[in-house]
Amino acid sequence: MDDYLLTPKNSALIIIDYQPTQINSIASIKRELLVKNIVKVALTAKAYNLPVVLSTVNVKSGVNKPTIVPLKKVLADQVEYDRTQINAWEDEEFYEAVRATRRRKLVMCALWTEACLTFPSLDALNEGYAVYPVVDAVGGTSLTAHKAALWRVAQAGAVNISWVQLVCELQRDWNRKDTIADFRNLLFGQDSPITKNEHRTPIEGLTSSD
């Protein structure tokens, strides 16, 4: 019986347009946090051996710069499928790369939420894929635009998740020893947004694993 939840064997990660121009136009989330979160998503994909399809827009034309350095460091061995279309699904190389993963559950991250996440998500859903936008690793030109886009794809059948939910769903069992070190570091490492959450007040006598 197929696992209904996300697993390392049924999922692929799609990352679209994490480039300087797009990052600098985001207004729905703090940009530093956005970068930290998408890097966490990419590290998760590497830890759990998810296929990754990475796309950029208008790099070859000289209009835009390529993928931001912190993300590219994690995905250094990853091909970048550059395109001209706003909707990555309409680019043949990108589309064939997604098909080549042979995964039907697509964890989707793209900038902006209202365009480059929405359009390929709707097309993928229409072709029978399950789509999981990572809501705190994507962003829009305004909070209103971001929320409206997430609502639209959810209405079409997408399942919105957070990056923490993604990590926990892929790990699922503390007894999966081969990924437990990565799991702990992603969630509780020194550079984790969870660990550095300024709104959290530690309770004496408790640790992060309690």
Side-chain angles (χ1 to χ4, degrees), residues 178-192:
D178 56 335
T179 53
I180 198 65
D182 289 317
F183 177 72
R184 287 182 180 274
N185 187 56
L186 284 163
L187 291 178
F188 308 118
Q190 290 185 351
D191 62 340
S192 171

Side-chain angles (χ1 to χ4, degrees), residues 48-65:
Y48 293 91
N49 294 315
L50 268 61
V52 178
V53 178
L54 176 64
S55 182
T56 56
V57 66
N58 276 333
V59 174
K60 292 178 181 177
S61 67
V63 174
N64 289 328
K65 294 182 179 179

Side-chain angles (χ1 to χ4, degrees), residues 27-38:
S28 62
I29 183 175
K30 290 182 178 179
R31 295 165 192 171
E32 181 181 359
L33 179 59
L34 172 67
V35 171
K36 286 181 179 179
N37 288 353
I38 189 58

Side-chain angles (χ1 to χ4, degrees), residues 29 39 48 73 82 91 117 121 147 176 204:
I29 183 175
V39 168
Y48 293 91
K73 282 183 177 179
D82 191 55
D91 180 77
L117 178 106
S121 293
K147 288 182 175 180
R176 292 178 176 171
E204 187 177 355

